[in-house]
Amino acid sequence: ILNVEQSPQSLHVQEGDSTNFTCSFPSSNFYALHWYRWETAKSPEALFVMTLNGDEKKKGRISATLNTKEGYSYLYIKGSQPEDSATYLCALQTSGSRLTFGEGTQLTVNP
Amino acid sequence: SAVISQKPSRDICQRGTSLTIQCQVDSQVTMMFWYRQQPGQSLTLIATANQGSEATYESGFVIDKFPISRPNLTFSTLTVSNMSPEDSSIYLCSVGRGSGQPQHFGDGTRLSIL
C-alpha cells in the first residue's frame, strides 16, 4: 500500500498571505505526481502533473516543485485570495494511470 | 478536456437497497475510473472500468458489492449494492487519456445511507 501524506491537514490564512503545502510519497516506482484543487460541490480540477526530478510548474499565482529523490512536492500560493479556498490534493502515479491520493490540505482564505 | 456528466448528484437511500451511478463522457476515452471518498478519508480508487471486459478492482473492493458496467467508450455505471451506513461517501468517476496526463472528474455523487 502506497503512503501519500499531505501536510498540514488544514490551514487558515488571511487574504494576501502566501502559503505552501507539502506532499510526501515513496520515491520508488515513481512515474508522476499530480496536484488537484477540489472546491466544495464541484469536481476536482487538475492543476499540475509533474514527472521529472526538479520540475517546477506555474499557473497564475500557484506553483509547484518536485523532488523525486527525496519523495516530496511543494505547492505554493502567492497572495492568497478567498477564491483559493479549497482542498488541495496530491496524487502519486506509479504505473498505468492508477492514482494514489493523499488526504488533502484544506485551505481557507479569510477576507 | 472532457466534459463528464455524473448522476445522480446526491441521494439518500435506505440500508439494504442498491443505487446505480451513471457517468457519461462527451468523447471517447480509453480509461475510466471510479473513486470513493468516505468522510475524513482520502480519495480512494475502487476500480478501473474496462470497455468490453470485467472491471479491475483494487484491494478491498469486490464485484459483488460494486458491480461496474462499461458498454462503450463514453459511458460507465457503478452500482453500490446492499448499502449500509458505511457506504455513505462521495463517489466520483474520472477519465484519463494516458500516463502522465491529468485525470478529469465528474461532479460526484453524494450518497447518504439511513
Side-chain angles (χ1 to χ4, degrees):
Chain A
I1 296 177
L2 297 173
N3 199 21
V4 178
E5 296 185 350
Q6 291 188 245
S7 62
Q9 192 172 40
S10 66
L11 193 55
H12 291 252
V13 301
Q14 288 298 124
E15 182 175 356
D17 288 350
S18 294
T19 187
N20 64 85
F21 333 127
T22 305
C23 175
S24 303
F25 53 87
S27 53
S28 59
N29 298 319
F30 175 88
Y31 186 87
L33 194 284
H34 297 231
W35 281 101
Y36 293 85
R37 175 170 62 199
W38 194 1
E39 296 180 62
T40 303
K42 294 187 178 180
S43 59
E45 172 198 356
L47 292 174
F48 305 112
V49 179
M50 295 184 288
T51 57
L52 298 176
N53 183 45
D55 250 357
E56 192 167 328
K57 295 205 172 182
K58 189 175 180 182
K59 186 176 182 179
R61 294 179 291 99
I62 304 176
S63 61
T65 61
L66 177 67
N67 184 321
T68 60
K69 292 183 179 178
E70 295 181 39
Y72 64 84
S73 174
Y74 293 137
L75 187 79
Y76 301 91
I77 302 179
K78 185 178 178 182
S80 303
Q81 300 296 309
E83 56 265 30
D84 295 329
S85 297
T87 297
Y88 291 82
L89 300 170
C90 71
L92 175 67
Q93 182 180 357
T94 52
S95 63
S97 290
R98 294 174 66 254
L99 298 181
T100 301
F101 282 85
E103 292 189 4
T105 293
Q106 187 173 1
L107 173 68
T108 303
V109 182
N110 299 311
Chain B
S1 62
V3 175
I4 303 166
S5 300
Q6 186 176 337
K7 56 182 181 182
S9 59
R10 61 178 67 244
D11 208 340
I12 301 173
C13 300
Q14 297 293 323
R15 69 175 69 202
T17 63
S18 298
L19 177 75
T20 296
I21 303 168
Q22 298 181 0
C23 183
Q24 178 75 55
V25 190
D26 68 342
S27 58
Q28 293 186 341
V29 291
T30 307
M31 291 167 283
M32 292 183 76
F33 306 93
W34 288 98
Y35 291 86
R36 173 177 80 176
Q37 187 190 41
Q38 293 177 300
Q41 304 293 314
S42 60
L43 202 53
T44 302
L45 181 63
I46 297 172
T48 302
N50 302 310
Q51 195 268 329
S53 64
E54 195 172 281
T56 304
Y57 288 85
E58 297 299 308
S59 176
F61 298 97
V62 295
I63 188 171
D64 290 346
K65 176 66 176 177
F66 297 103
I68 288 171
S69 78
R70 178 93 191 268
N72 55 53
L73 292 176
T74 63
F75 185 77
S76 179
T77 67
L78 169 76
T79 299
V80 186
S81 302
N82 188 25
M83 289 183 284
S84 66
E86 294 72 38
D87 295 319
S88 296
S89 299
I90 300 173
Y91 292 85
L92 288 158
C93 69
S94 77
V95 302
R97 295 192 184 278
S99 298
Q101 298 297 313
Q103 290 187 13
H104 298 281
F105 290 83
D107 284 344
T109 296
R110 285 150 179 80
L111 182 58
S112 297
I113 315 303
L114 300 178

